Amino acid sequence: MTLPDAPSGPAGADRTFQVDLRGLVDLLSHHLYSSPRVYLRELLQNAVDALTARHALEPAAPAGAFGIRLYADGSAVRVEDDGVGLTEADVHSFLATIGRSSKRAEQVAEQRGDFIGQFGIGLLSCFLVADEIHVVSRSARTRDAPAVEWRGRGDGSYTIRTLRSSARPRPGTTVTLTPRADAGEWTRPTQVRALARHFGSLLRHPVTFDDGSGGPGAAVNPEPAPWARTYPTPGARSRALAAYGEDVLGFTPLDTIELDLPAVGLKGIACVLPQAVPAGRRHGHRVHVKGMLLSEQADEILPEWAFFVRCVVDAESLRPTASRESLYEDDTLAAVRDALAERLRAWIARAAASDPDLLARFLHVHHLAVKSLAVHDDEILRMLLPWLPFETTDGHTTLEEFARTHRTVLVTSSVEEFRQVAAIASAAGLGVVNGGYTYDRELVHRLPEIRPQTSVADLDPATLTAHLDPVDRETELAAAAYLARAREALAVFDCDVALRTFQPASAPALLVDSREARHERTRSQLAREQEGGLWGDILGALRQEAPRAQLILNQLNPLVRTAVAIDEPELARTSAEALYGQAALLSRRPLRPAESSLINRSFLDLLAHALRKDH
């Protein structure tokens, strides 16, 4: 297919592009097609388009009158169809010219939706596995048309000649490939049959395969798509669709949702995954276009929040990209995506209204997916927010159950803050929800939209400390010297120290400190270190009065009662540092280097003190 050199001419004369076929095939194999296996899909696709044109030419022909036959015996691969065929002029125009569509130019606009292929480069994919392509075709458009032979070679050359009609008695086209020695992986009979089944199992025209052993050809697509069949009962239909989903996707679905969009000729199923997947991880979906498998990884057909399902669909009006391995992003695809999203919402609504057991199983597995949907979908929010599980001071429970016992729901801004306060807040009777997980804080704040009688507020340190009981005046005065030494020891962490009583008594201390306060103190520290420079001026301008951290000692704890009675200054300082370190560890937040050093030092100092006392 390399064109001859253009004759020399005067300056400015038009020239003809030269095409390096081997370079073009290398480009296709490395940048357009994902694998050499697509050669069989392209051959099947061309055959299906030819059959579509034949049916348009002979609309009275019965269904199944025209078909596709595959042959592979190890030495050759052959695809034969009963399609519309090609005249000699068609062969010159469509097989010998790179980039021209295999449909007549004047018919493309009207017939665009009738064909799978649209880019006219499919036959070149055969050079991924063969050095020669042999085509024999006879047109059905002209009565008694002769057969035409075209041979294309990998070096870019080709020949065309007219044959006797007996060379191809019936209209249609036969494409024969002589595989290269290094292409055996893709041209073995077993592989050809597997590829035909993989790409063509849902094709609407009969496709058979013959391995040359002399037996009858085996049907590649013996049955129509499962959603196109009739079943005796709705239950039988549901079981059949679920079995098909399990067969092609490899898992037993939690439930199967039938999809039907008549406007774009889309039918199929969405299978609900039986296990949770990470938020934002999008699964690929199996998308067929007019029965031909386009892609197994078409994640663009559903919105990002729908990562709890995998789909198998067949569509009439979706447009493939040039490689025909993904979908072209256009208005039609956007409309399909929105319509399928609505089908998933409707399924959730039906489960909420009529199948609470299914809804419970679904939410147990996919609550994070539903939370992501509820953030942006008011209808789903109203239906499902009360039933979504959250981590609370009452354990993992739904907001409906939690709000029954707590008219005011407090929510933390991070996981670490929840872990700091959970035990103490629970003992104090406060209802706190962990708002540190994705979507949770935003959703909890929307609870009053569903339950107006419930109020929601962010938990701050003042709210918690207000529910801790003060100690009596005598106890406070007796502990004053210890508290002063403790404040001096922890001043480096901008931490105040207070003495209170709270449950559980087993908790010696509570460190109340927010992430925002820590960030502000860090920024203030940097400003002090950079004072006088440009960066210091910037940080100084941003500086705010940051609330101090607070170490609250529990007077009900025996260890604390012993500590506040210590008279020895160094031991008092060390015990305060140890209590701070233990409270910081229980908060499960990342420790600063200075805190890690403090914990190690206080432990060693207490150990040394204990050993001296023993001696």
Side-chain angles (χ1 to χ4, degrees):
M1 294 183 193
T2 301
L3 300 175
D5 291 337
S8 61
D14 288 343
R15 305 281 182 175
T16 304
F17 280 108
Q18 307 302 301
V19 180
D20 179 355
L21 184 60
R22 291 190 184 278
L24 183 58
V25 171
D26 182 70
L27 180 68
L28 294 178
S29 63
H30 289 93
H31 299 285
L32 187 64
Y33 294 127
S34 60
S35 164
R37 68 178 185 168
V38 299
Y39 83 92
L40 191 67
R41 184 197 65 197
E42 298 294 332
L43 290 178
L44 282 172
Q45 183 170 283
N46 287 343
V48 170
D49 286 346
L51 291 175
T52 301
R54 180 75 181 274
H55 277 288
L57 187 66
E58 302 177 33
F66 309 129
I68 303 170
R69 295 165 292 282
L70 303 178
Y71 304 86
D73 59 6
S75 62
V77 175
R78 189 164 73 250
V79 179
E80 179 179 311
D81 68 67
D82 300 319
V84 72
L86 300 171
T87 65
E88 183 173 348
D90 293 336
V91 170
H92 280 287
S93 296
F94 302 138
L95 298 187
T97 305
I98 295 175
R100 182 172 297 178
S101 171
S102 60
K103 272 68 70 180
R104 296 176 184 274
E106 65 273 12
Q107 295 175 329
V108 168
E110 304 96 47
Q111 296 181 343
R112 186 185 184 96
D114 296 334
F115 298 100
I116 303 171
Q118 296 171 8
F119 296 91
I121 58 175
L123 196 63
L124 289 180
S125 66
C126 296
F127 285 118
L128 299 176
V129 298
D131 283 328
E132 182 174 287
I133 305 171
H134 179 217
V135 179
V136 176
S137 187
R138 182 178 176 186
S139 176
R141 299 181 186 278
T142 305
R143 184 177 179 84
D144 298 328
V148 181
E149 178 191 66
W150 178 88
R151 288 183 183 272
R153 289 169 284 276
D155 61 4
S157 63
Y158 67 90
T159 59
I160 298 176
R161 65 189 181 115
T162 301
L163 306 175
R164 296 188 303 273
S165 297
S166 59
R168 172 81 201 197
R170 296 185 299 174
T173 301
T174 301
V175 181
T176 304
L177 310 180
T178 302
R180 293 197 308 271
D182 62 353
E185 176 185 358
W186 307 109
T187 56
R188 293 192 305 268
T190 54
Q191 181 67 284
V192 172
R193 180 176 183 178
L195 291 177
R197 178 71 180 168
H198 178 73
F199 289 118
S201 63
L202 299 185
L203 288 175
R204 291 84 181 269
H205 304 284
V207 183
T208 59
F209 173 80
D210 186 349
D211 62 3
S213 61
V220 169
N221 53 342
E223 294 182 300
W227 45 82
R229 305 173 203 163
T230 57
Y231 300 90
T233 64
R237 182 178 184 85
S238 297
R239 288 190 294 272
L241 294 178
Y244 177 77
E246 181 175 0
D247 181 52
V248 299
L249 298 177
F251 63 86
T252 303
L254 190 67
D255 196 23
T256 305
I257 308 162
E258 190 163 0
L259 306 174
D260 186 4
L261 304 178
V264 292
L266 183 145
K267 290 181 177 293
I269 56 173
C271 295
V272 182
L273 290 161
Q275 285 126 9
V277 294
R281 178 182 172 184
R282 302 181 69 182
H283 284 286
H285 307 287
R286 288 178 63 97
V287 175
H288 300 251
V289 175
K290 300 178 181 67
M292 181 71 71
L293 178 64
L294 181 78
S295 174
E296 295 177 278
Q297 301 297 325
D299 60 3
E300 63 270 30
I301 196 140
L302 286 181
E304 291 186 7
W305 56 259
F307 52 81
F308 56 89
V309 297
R310 289 190 66 190
C311 293
V312 184
V313 299
D314 184 22
E316 294 286 338
S317 301
L318 293 179
R319 181 181 172 192
T321 59
S323 67
R324 292 187 280 273
E325 296 186 332
S326 59
L327 294 170
Y328 187 82
E329 188 67 48
D330 57 11
D331 291 343
T332 300
L333 178 58
V336 167
R337 186 162 48 235
D338 291 344
L340 291 180
E342 186 57 36
R343 297 298 187 276
L344 297 183
R345 291 189 187 96
W347 173 81
I348 294 174
R350 285 197 303 273
S354 60
D355 197 339
D357 290 339
L358 173 60
L359 180 67
R361 294 197 306 273
F362 171 66
L363 292 180
H364 177 73
V365 175
H366 295 296
H367 58 274
L368 186 57
V370 177
K371 287 179 179 179
S372 70
L373 175 58
V375 167
H376 306 290
D377 191 309
D378 291 344
E379 182 180 353
I380 295 297
L381 179 80
R382 287 191 297 272
M383 282 192 304
L384 296 183
L385 180 59
W387 310 107
L388 290 173
F390 290 81
E391 185 179 8
T392 75
T393 46
D394 291 351
H396 281 83
T397 184
T398 66
L399 286 185
E400 179 72 21
E401 293 180 16
F402 193 67
R404 288 197 193 108
T405 55
H406 302 282
R407 288 182 59 85
T408 298
V409 175
L410 302 172
V411 58
T412 65
S413 59
S414 69
V415 173
E416 65 189 50
E417 289 172 7
F418 177 80
R419 289 170 176 167
Q420 286 179 42
V421 306
I424 290 89
S426 178
L430 296 177
V432 182
V433 178
N434 186 349
Y437 295 115
T438 306
Y439 312 118
D440 283 13
R441 184 167 175 267
E442 183 176 356
L443 288 173
V444 174
H445 272 285
R446 297 190 67 180
L447 181 60
E449 298 176 29
I450 315 301
R451 290 178 56 95
Q453 67 273 31
T454 301
S455 62
V456 176
D458 286 325
L459 176 70
D460 58 51
T463 303
L464 180 64
T465 55
H467 284 76
L468 304 181
D469 296 327
V471 297
D472 59 68
R473 183 174 179 79
E474 291 75 13
T475 302
E476 183 82 32
L477 289 173
Y482 180 86
L483 295 177
R485 294 187 182 108
R487 293 186 185 108
E488 181 183 354
L490 301 180
V492 66
F493 300 115
D494 285 327
C495 183
D496 194 10
V497 183
L499 186 64
R500 298 285 189 275
T501 62
F502 54 86
Q503 294 293 338
S506 59
L510 168 67
L511 181 60
V512 179
D513 193 15
S514 68
R515 180 182 299 178
E516 292 76 11
R518 290 198 304 276
H519 286 176
E520 180 57 35
R521 291 196 298 272
T522 301
R523 186 164 55 195
S524 298
Q525 177 66 28
L526 286 173
R528 289 193 294 269
E529 294 173 356
Q530 300 287 336
E531 188 172 358
L534 175 62
W535 183 238
D537 292 342
I538 294 173
L539 290 174
L542 296 174
R543 186 166 57 212
Q544 302 173 4
E545 187 64 30
R548 303 184 71 192
Q550 192 172 37
L551 180 67
I552 303 175
L553 304 180
N554 186 4
Q555 175 65 17
L556 298 180
N557 183 267
L559 178 63
V560 171
R561 290 199 299 271
T562 301
V564 298
I566 296 174
D567 293 328
E568 185 180 338
E570 284 302 316
L571 182 58
R573 180 186 182 93
T574 299
S575 67
E577 291 175 340
L579 288 168
Y580 175 90
Q582 190 258 2
L585 287 172
L586 288 178
S587 72
R588 302 185 190 179
R589 63 168 170 80
L591 297 177
R592 290 173 285 179
E595 291 173 328
S596 298
S597 177
L598 175 141
I599 291 171
N600 291 331
R601 186 179 67 250
S602 62
F603 170 77
L604 293 175
D605 288 349
L606 288 174
L607 180 60
H609 176 80
L611 292 175
R612 286 196 304 270
K613 185 177 179 181
D614 288 343
H615 287 81

